Amino acid sequence: MASSGEEPRCGSPGRAGTGTEPAAADAAQLDTAEDFEVLEEEGEDDEDDLRELPPLEDVGRPPAPPREDAQPPEQGAGDAAGDPQEWLDVLGNGLLKKKTLVPGQGVDSRPQKGQDVTIRLKATLEDGTVVEEDPALTFTLGDCDVLQALDLCVQLLEMGETALIVSEAKYCYGAQGRSPDIPPNASLTLEVELLAARDAPDLELLSGKEKIRLANRKRERGNFFYQQADYVLAINSYDIALRIVGSSSKVDFSPDEEAELLDVKVKCLNNLAASQLKLDHFKAALKSCNLVLEHQPGNIKALFRKGKVLAQQGEYREAIPILKAALKLEPSNKTIHAELSKLVKKHADQRNVETEMYRKMLGNPSAAGTPGKCKDKLPWSIPWKWLFGATAIALGGVALSVVIAARN
């Protein structure tokens, strides 16, 4: 799994990670507010037909303050405040603790990363309110398909063991919580029983529908992390989905299934590019965009993001025609209009700076330092870029001569 420099935060496999895609403003459909905050039209509510990306995130929202009645998990988790020797400090920071209630079948029966595990889960708030119950929750261990508190602690469970897990919000739903039942910065107490563990299915033997279903589940997980601004984990989930889609198969797929797998692949690559852009991984984002355009040359999101990548690198001359192609496909899209106008202005400013640089390099061609009798004969009407190019060629020839002489 990719590392972001700190403990990643996973979310619930249920409501929080559904990847629902509401109709929203142009900026929301193309990307998040952060990428469009430079524009003047942030309040526009016009819709377009770009729906597969995660919903608009509230970039400007400050972290929710801790609740005044919040208690340390040891004080609000039943017998969690009991004998500290009975509690395992999983990470050594006091934020995630595990306690065995019913022993299991021994250390050798613990599940391994990559296996599909099934657990019985009951999650409660500090006041005892039950916020989630699942008699048979199944997920892939280590893929961050669930709360990080579960992903970390289930690895330590023995088969048949029932344990109590007390977790700070950092390893649950963080500062955002989960509307409407889990408040921001809420600690959770998780009662977990490990019911089963088995090897993940062989991707080569999956049917077309099974492969599509599995890849979409990982993609939706990436969408959840994207909404939470966990771009490293979003990239991880999209990579897993792409690996599933691209895996070899011993099963024949129907043309419809092949088309649907390609659709999942394109969505993952598009969202992967968006996540890579957030982390300023321009080379990787450009590669993701190009992979989309290999399959769908007219994919407006890939065109838009490719233009964004090139613009971020200062390649305005290359970015402008790409955004023009996107605008031709979606003439009414105000976001592309605004982005294109911004790049045209930046490109013009860039050319002005270059012209001034050429002028300074070649000297001021004004009449101030030129004798009167020679003034009219000087070819100052020659374009500056031509002069600069000729100078560069001359200097290049001198350098080549020096190299040849040195070799001889």
Side-chain angles (χ1 to χ4, degrees):
M1 180 180 296
S3 172
S4 59
E6 62 178 27
E7 292 291 345
R9 300 187 302 281
C10 301
S12 165
R15 284 168 287 175
T18 59
T20 303
E21 300 160 354
D26 287 346
Q29 305 296 346
L30 276 168
D31 218 314
T32 63
E34 182 179 339
D35 277 341
F36 293 87
E37 61 187 4
V38 295
L39 305 183
E40 300 294 332
E41 302 171 342
E42 290 181 337
E44 294 289 341
D45 289 323
D46 300 70
E47 297 180 0
D48 60 25
D49 194 30
L50 308 173
R51 296 193 179 92
E52 70 254 26
L53 279 183
L56 178 67
E57 62 200 18
D58 191 355
V59 176
R61 181 176 62 193
R67 293 182 297 143
E68 294 181 0
D69 60 341
Q71 298 290 334
E74 292 85 350
Q75 300 178 19
D79 60 352
D83 184 359
Q85 298 300 322
E86 297 180 5
W87 286 88
L88 172 65
D89 189 349
V90 176
L91 299 174
N93 57 10
L95 303 180
L96 181 63
K97 297 183 178 181
K98 169 191 170 288
K99 176 178 175 180
T100 299
L101 300 179
V102 178
Q105 300 173 11
V107 175
D108 291 341
S109 66
R110 288 179 176 175
Q112 303 296 316
K113 284 186 177 181
Q115 287 188 311
D116 285 347
V117 297
T118 301
I119 63 171
R120 175 183 62 81
L121 172 66
K122 180 180 179 181
T124 59
L125 298 175
E126 292 175 310
D127 62 5
T129 303
V130 177
V131 292
E132 190 161 346
E133 280 190 282
D134 195 324
L137 171 63
T138 299
F139 60 94
T140 304
L141 193 60
D143 274 10
C144 221
D145 290 342
V146 291
L147 295 174
Q148 190 184 9
L150 286 174
D151 221 13
L152 291 171
C153 292
V154 169
Q155 301 176 43
L156 306 176
L157 295 182
E158 300 170 3
M159 189 60 60
E161 177 181 350
T162 299
L164 200 63
I165 299 168
V166 177
S167 175
E168 287 285 346
K170 178 178 181 180
Y171 305 112
C172 296
Y173 290 95
Q176 294 187 350
R178 186 185 72 182
S179 180
D181 53 352
I182 300 178
N185 298 306
S187 299
L188 290 181
T189 300
L190 311 170
E191 185 179 308
V192 181
E193 179 184 2
L194 179 58
L195 302 175
R198 57 188 178 277
D199 291 339
D202 187 341
L203 295 179
E204 290 187 338
L205 301 179
L206 292 179
S207 68
K209 291 187 181 301
E210 289 171 332
K211 183 173 282 193
I212 291 165
R213 188 182 307 115
L214 181 59
N216 267 324
R217 190 162 75 237
K218 302 299 183 181
R219 178 182 65 85
E220 289 167 1
R221 198 70 197 145
N223 291 357
F224 169 77
F225 288 128
Y226 188 92
Q227 295 171 45
Q228 300 296 316
D230 278 336
Y231 304 117
V232 170
L233 290 182
I235 288 172
N236 179 71
S237 293
Y238 295 137
D239 279 339
I240 293 173
L242 288 168
R243 190 161 63 246
I244 294 168
V245 171
S247 62
S248 59
S249 180
K250 297 178 180 178
V251 179
D252 292 332
F253 299 153
S254 70
D256 287 344
E257 289 171 339
E258 293 282 6
E260 196 167 350
L261 281 169
L262 178 59
D263 182 62
V264 175
K265 179 180 180 179
V266 166
K267 288 181 178 180
C268 287
L269 285 170
N270 257 329
N271 288 0
L272 181 62
S275 302
Q276 290 162 335
L277 258 174
K278 290 288 190 179
L279 298 175
D280 293 340
H281 295 171
F282 300 129
K283 184 176 180 180
L286 188 61
K287 180 180 178 181
S288 297
C289 292
N290 285 334
L291 286 172
V292 173
L293 295 172
E294 285 179 12
H295 296 293
Q296 297 179 357
N299 187 289
I300 188 171
K301 288 186 180 182
L303 288 169
F304 180 83
R305 290 206 177 95
K306 184 174 182 178
K308 289 282 289 183
V309 171
L310 292 171
Q312 291 281 0
Q313 296 177 304
E315 304 291 344
Y316 303 125
R317 186 190 299 274
E318 291 79 8
I320 288 172
I322 292 174
L323 287 180
K324 284 183 177 179
L327 191 61
K328 186 176 180 180
L329 294 170
E330 194 75 37
S332 62
N333 191 296
K334 295 183 179 180
T335 300
I336 302 176
H337 266 293
E339 187 68 21
L340 183 57
S341 298
K342 181 182 67 175
L343 291 190
V344 169
K345 182 179 184 305
K346 284 187 174 183
H347 188 215
D349 293 342
Q350 185 184 61
R351 286 187 297 178
N352 290 337
V353 170
E354 290 175 354
T355 300
E356 184 61 27
M357 179 183 68
Y358 301 151
R359 190 183 301 277
K360 289 180 179 179
M361 290 179 65
L362 296 174
N364 190 349
S366 65
T370 304
K373 62 181 181 179
C374 301
K375 179 169 57 178
D376 294 334
K377 298 180 181 180
L378 292 176
W380 294 119
S381 60
I382 298 175
W384 291 108
K385 290 188 179 180
W386 185 10
L387 282 175
F388 180 73
T391 304
I393 292 172
L395 290 174
V398 172
L400 181 60
S401 299
V402 171
V403 171
I404 294 173
R407 287 183 175 178
N408 294 333

